[in-house]
Amino acid sequence: MDRSTSVPRRDPNGIENGAPLQSEDDAYNHATGNKKSDDRVEENGIESTEKIFESKEVPSWQSQLTIRAFVTAFVLGILFTFIVMKLNLTTGIIPSLNVSAGLLGFFFVKTWTKFLEKSGLLKQPFTRQENTVIQTCVVATSGIAFSGGFGSYIFGMSEVVAKQSGEDNFAQNIKIPSLGWIIGFLFLVSFLGLFSVVPLRKIMIIDFKLTYPSGTATAYLINSFHTPQGAKLAKKQVRTLGKFFSFSFLWGFFQWFFTAGDGCGFVQFPTFGLKAYENRFYFDFSATYVGVGMICPYLINVSVLVGAILSWGIMWPLIENRKGDWYSATENSSSLHGIQGYRVFIAIAMILGDGLYNFVKVLGRTLIAMYHQIYKKDAGAVLPVGVNNSPVNSALSYDDERRRQLFLKDQIPLWVAITGYITISIISIIVLPHIFPQLKWYYILVIYIFAPILAFCNAYGCGLTDWSLASTYGKLAIFIVGAWAGAAHGGVLAGLAACGVMMNIVSTASDLTQDFKTGYLTLASPRSMFVSQIIGTAMGCIISPSVFWLFYKAFHDLGEQGSEYPAPYALVYRNMAILGVEGFGALPKHCLTLCYVFFAGAVVINGIRDLLGKKWARFIPLPMAMAIPFYLGSYFAIDMCVGSLILFVWEKLNKAKADAFGPAVASGLICGDGIWTLPSAILALAGVNPPICMKFLSRKVNSKVDTFLGS
């Protein structure tokens, strides 16, 4: 799930929630909610973190990799995988859960070590380096639920989604989900990105001094936990998280009793009236998305709401009035030849317009910055988000000198990276065509030749802007490989599979460089970061498919429009593949024109945001966020805005407390509701059904029901 503390860095569709942090001090302040920490001493007027930990010995890289760390990471990895999977299959908006991962990891191990210490059995104290290993492993594990494509390209191959797309749903473009091939696929493609950026870690972290704001914020959060003041605050935050976790879990359990049939329960409550409900404007009492709204920046939440009003409040009712003219009056509401076609393809146009603009912008910034770094040796002037703006050859601070020394101490041999990449590439080139016969070996070879370059660009751009373009690279692969394969040779499935290969490589590459930055700032060894990332990724390759399989078997309407888990981006990704293979001929009347308008609109809005600067850009909606409700509706946007409102009022009443405990409250709401899906799925598999159906009817319909029942 992508690397930030209280501001999400990405979602599966490339949404970057919030502006990048400008420096390590900004990242620290962002992580802790303070302007300056009293537990950081100063050296020559510059705050020093490492002076605080000077008396503590840094454990060897082997000692940082403890059994208790990986057991904790395994348990938390399962918890967060359930949460990410639920978010993937509902709306696709995934906030960062690093705060809760860091808090819970610290709490569990600290509690265990304190118990052992009192018993006289403690052999190794809990260090910030071990905490970093846990954090890295948990995020790597649950991150596979994002890059694994369970709500996008993997599920987009299924028959359920193919039937909704209305095109190319014949055998060669369908792959029925199966636990075996999904696990095998993920093991083949999820490790290449790790090996591709290992040789460049020194260039990224030390030579170019890239900030990696999310990794920096995470590091300062972990550092603060291991000071006396930080430990006290962390204990209070965990207590708060636990309270809201319990409330959210019990609320989910309570709601379950009223969902005995379709359209039943609190999630179908017509808050603003039945007419608004028909246009998907209602509050669905989701603790998850109230929590998401508390974590996401106000701009994201408002952008989603603006998109919902524009689409479901204005555009779709107007287009539906053209029924019989623009599209056949006999078309089913879920057919892409009818109103659904406008919803899906206009959303795709906005996503592609936003993605293309930011791809060009970030790639351009990356290339310009690299040019100045290499040829002009002018890091400070070119990297406005760099760690410091002093000359490159200025004297190192105590912190930088100590971090540099330990970062360079445990090198990962170059031959390990090269051998690993080549070996895995050869194996996957041989095996992947057996999983996807439509994905020829030479398609994969071409991807693997260019992948390290794209992985480097994504990792470098992420270090500059905190912006991961993994999903954009994946969409590029859909169009290129899909068109290359062609409709007659299963181009739709080939494009979706190629998307998975590309997304996994570039996503894990940027994640690992974030980890290296976090490790650099907490004095965790690059070797321990690399090993924990590999172990976490391996865990994720088993846990994520297993959790998806539980959803797939327990909820029989998974992926269907209007269901509890509609998996909206599965249909979006499949239709992108269809567009890449067959072009625009199957679109309804005027749909292509509207797509052009919204594609251009997304580019123009982004351009205006950049031209006006940060001061005014915060008042202009984000096109990517606006596109999400075009297909789904506005119910989750209202939930998120309720979360924003709660946080806004809290900040007005007591900003310090809101900054300190807001992320914990939000994480508790998300985690409790998310983990409820486990017993809910088990009950469904066991055939235990809710006893009550709570439904809302109009007066007219209710009279008819009463008459029918009375007759």
Side-chain angles (χ1 to χ4, degrees):
M1 278 164 340
D2 9 332
R3 301 272 199 278
S4 173
T5 53
S6 61
V7 177
R9 182 168 64 84
R10 74 185 182 208
D11 75 358
N13 311 293
I15 296 179
E16 303 307 320
N17 300 335
L21 305 170
Q22 295 303 308
S23 68
E24 290 188 359
D25 288 332
D26 288 342
Y28 174 79
N29 297 334
H30 180 67
T32 61
N34 297 321
K35 290 186 178 178
K36 182 177 177 180
S37 174
D38 294 332
D39 58 21
R40 302 175 81 199
V41 297
E42 295 191 359
E43 181 187 55
N44 299 325
I46 300 173
E47 295 182 33
S48 172
T49 302
E50 296 309 325
K51 282 285 186 181
I52 302 169
F53 300 101
E54 191 176 21
S55 61
K56 296 183 179 180
E57 183 183 353
V58 177
S60 66
W61 72 271
Q62 295 98 330
S63 300
Q64 295 170 23
L65 302 168
T66 62
I67 293 175
R68 69 189 178 199
F70 291 118
V71 170
T72 303
F74 179 76
V75 173
L76 292 178
I78 294 173
L79 168 66
F80 291 131
T81 298
F82 267 98
I83 296 166
V84 175
M85 195 66 68
K86 178 178 179 178
L87 296 171
N88 251 335
L89 296 172
T90 49
T91 65
I93 298 177
I94 302 176
S96 169
L97 296 171
N98 285 23
V99 166
S100 43
L103 271 173
L104 292 173
F106 174 80
F107 173 73
F108 286 150
V109 180
K110 195 71 175 175
T111 303
W112 175 244
T113 53
K114 189 170 284 187
F115 170 76
L116 291 178
E117 189 176 12
K118 288 180 180 178
S119 307
L121 301 173
L122 183 63
K123 295 180 180 179
Q124 182 178 338
F126 181 43
T127 64
R128 56 189 174 133
Q129 290 80 25
E130 188 179 353
N131 204 158
T132 306
V133 166
I134 295 171
Q135 174 90 7
T136 298
C137 195
V138 170
V139 176
T141 300
S142 55
I144 297 295
F146 151 66
S147 59
F150 301 100
S152 53
Y153 62 86
I154 285 284
F155 197 43
M157 301 175 184
S158 68
E159 188 175 8
V160 173
V161 177
K163 285 178 179 177
Q164 293 179 65
S165 71
E167 303 290 337
D168 296 291
N169 54 354
F170 39 84
Q172 66 176 351
N173 279 320
I174 291 174
K175 183 80 173 174
I176 304 299
S178 168
L179 200 57
W181 74 255
I182 294 176
I183 291 175
F185 172 73
L186 291 177
F187 267 105
L188 288 169
V189 301
S190 296
F191 296 92
L192 280 160
L194 305 181
F195 289 99
S196 66
V197 294
V198 162
L200 304 171
R201 66 196 178 283
K202 178 180 176 292
I203 294 172
M204 301 282 205
I205 307 300
I206 293 179
D207 296 342
F208 288 173
K209 297 183 174 66
L210 296 177
T211 305
Y212 289 99
S214 295
T216 298
T218 302
Y220 277 123
L221 189 75
I222 291 172
N223 282 337
S224 71
F225 286 162
H226 292 266
T227 61
Q229 295 92 333
K232 288 178 183 176
L233 177 61
K235 188 176 180 181
K236 292 177 182 177
Q237 289 172 326
V238 168
R239 194 178 297 125
T240 301
L241 190 152
K243 288 177 183 176
F244 283 88
F245 176 94
S246 302
F247 165 77
S248 181
F249 183 87
L250 292 173
W251 174 240
F253 180 45
F254 175 74
Q255 288 187 87
W256 175 82
F257 283 96
F258 301 92
T259 56
D262 293 335
C264 299
F266 285 91
V267 293
Q268 308 293 339
F269 193 93
T271 324
F272 308 111
L274 289 168
K275 188 64 178 175
Y277 173 79
E278 288 174 10
N279 286 290
R280 304 193 189 181
F281 278 91
Y282 58 93
F283 177 63
D284 73 347
F285 295 90
S286 168
T288 294
Y289 284 102
V290 172
V292 169
M294 292 181 70
I295 290 180
C296 288
Y298 297 130
L299 180 60
I300 292 293
N301 300 331
V302 172
S303 298
V304 172
L305 185 61
V306 168
I309 294 170
L310 177 64
S311 56
W312 290 90
I314 300 172
M315 288 178 57
W316 305 156
L318 289 175
I319 292 175
E320 283 182 324
N321 289 338
R322 310 299 298 175
K323 190 175 184 178
D325 180 13
W326 284 21
Y327 61 94
S328 172
T330 60
E331 286 289 351
N332 188 287
S333 62
S334 62
S335 169
L336 289 178
H337 297 293
I339 184 65
Q340 189 74 345
Y342 296 95
R343 294 170 183 165
V344 171
F345 288 109
I346 292 174
I348 290 173
M350 289 188 73
I351 291 168
L352 291 177
D354 187 283
L356 180 64
Y357 178 89
N358 286 296
F359 173 75
V360 172
K361 183 180 79 171
V362 173
L363 187 62
R365 285 189 64 184
T366 299
L367 295 175
I368 292 168
M370 286 171 60
Y371 170 77
H372 282 273
Q373 286 276 12
I374 295 169
Y375 293 104
K376 295 192 175 183
K377 306 294 183 184
D378 187 15
V382 178
L383 300 180
V385 294
V387 172
N388 63 64
N389 294 321
S390 57
V392 181
N393 55 3
S394 61
L396 292 173
S397 68
Y398 174 81
D399 282 6
D400 285 340
E401 189 175 350
R402 182 157 171 76
R403 289 165 179 166
R404 184 188 182 105
Q405 176 190 357
L406 288 167
F407 188 77
L408 296 176
K409 177 185 172 186
D410 293 326
Q411 292 294 309
I412 302 169
L414 182 62
W415 67 266
V416 171
I418 295 173
T419 305
Y421 189 87
I422 293 174
T423 303
I424 297 174
S425 297
I426 292 171
I427 293 171
S428 57
I429 287 171
I430 295 170
V431 177
L432 277 178
H434 291 282
I435 299 175
F436 304 106
Q438 299 86 344
L439 189 66
K440 305 301 181 184
W441 67 268
Y442 42 88
Y443 301 161
I444 306 166
L445 178 62
V446 170
I447 291 173
Y448 287 167
I449 290 171
F450 289 100
I453 301 168
L454 300 179
F456 169 74
C457 290
N458 193 47
Y460 191 99
C462 190
L464 280 174
T465 64
D466 212 29
W467 197 289
S468 174
L469 296 173
S471 62
T472 306
Y473 287 109
K475 289 163 194 164
L476 239 106
I478 287 179
F479 288 113
I480 294 171
V481 175
W484 188 1
H489 300 95
V492 172
L493 199 65
L496 291 170
C499 171
V501 176
M502 183 62 77
M503 269 185 71
N504 275 280
I505 293 172
V506 297
S507 175
T508 52
S510 62
D511 285 353
L512 181 59
T513 47
Q514 289 272 9
D515 291 334
F516 282 143
K517 182 67 175 184
T518 304
Y520 173 77
L521 294 170
T522 58
L523 304 190
S525 167
R527 289 187 182 181
S528 66
M529 292 293 91
F530 184 63
V531 172
S532 62
Q533 181 83 21
I534 285 180
I535 292 175
T537 301
M539 287 181 184
C541 289
I542 297 172
I543 294 172
S544 288
S546 301
V547 171
F548 171 74
W549 196 246
L550 184 62
F551 276 84
Y552 187 68
K553 289 296 183 183
F555 304 104
H556 299 294
D557 57 355
L558 184 72
E560 294 179 7
Q561 185 189 0
S563 68
E564 186 179 358
Y565 299 105
Y569 280 99
L571 183 61
V572 167
Y573 272 64
R574 184 172 184 89
N575 282 297
M576 284 183 187
I578 292 170
L579 283 178
V581 171
E582 295 205 343
F584 303 104
L587 298 182
K589 192 176 181 181
H590 301 303
C591 184
L592 183 58
T593 303
L594 289 171
C595 287
Y596 286 144
V597 170
F598 279 87
F599 180 93
V603 173
V604 170
I605 291 171
N606 275 302
I608 292 171
R609 283 175 50 81
D610 285 339
L611 285 173
L612 292 180
K614 290 181 184 177
K615 182 179 178 181
W616 298 106
R618 60 198 176 101
F619 298 110
I620 301 174
L622 296 167
M624 182 75 81
M626 290 174 64
I628 298 171
F630 272 53
Y631 168 64
L632 275 177
S634 64
Y635 59 93
F636 70 94
I638 293 167
D639 296 341
M640 291 170 68
C641 286
V642 168
S644 272
L645 181 61
I646 292 169
L647 187 64
F648 179 79
V649 172
W650 193 1
E651 286 178 340
K652 290 297 179 185
L653 295 174
N654 190 333
K655 189 172 190 324
K657 208 162 189 177
D659 288 342
F661 294 99
V665 170
S667 298
L669 291 173
I670 294 168
C671 293
D673 195 33
I675 205 64
W676 163 248
T677 56
L678 175 58
S680 173
I682 292 171
L683 288 170
L685 287 171
V688 179
N689 298 312
I692 304 168
C693 174
M694 183 174 72
K695 226 169 193 176
F696 300 89
L697 308 173
S698 67
R699 186 186 298 112
K700 186 177 179 181
V701 173
N702 188 59
S703 298
K704 289 181 179 179
V705 171
D706 286 344
T707 303
F708 175 78
L709 292 175
S711 60

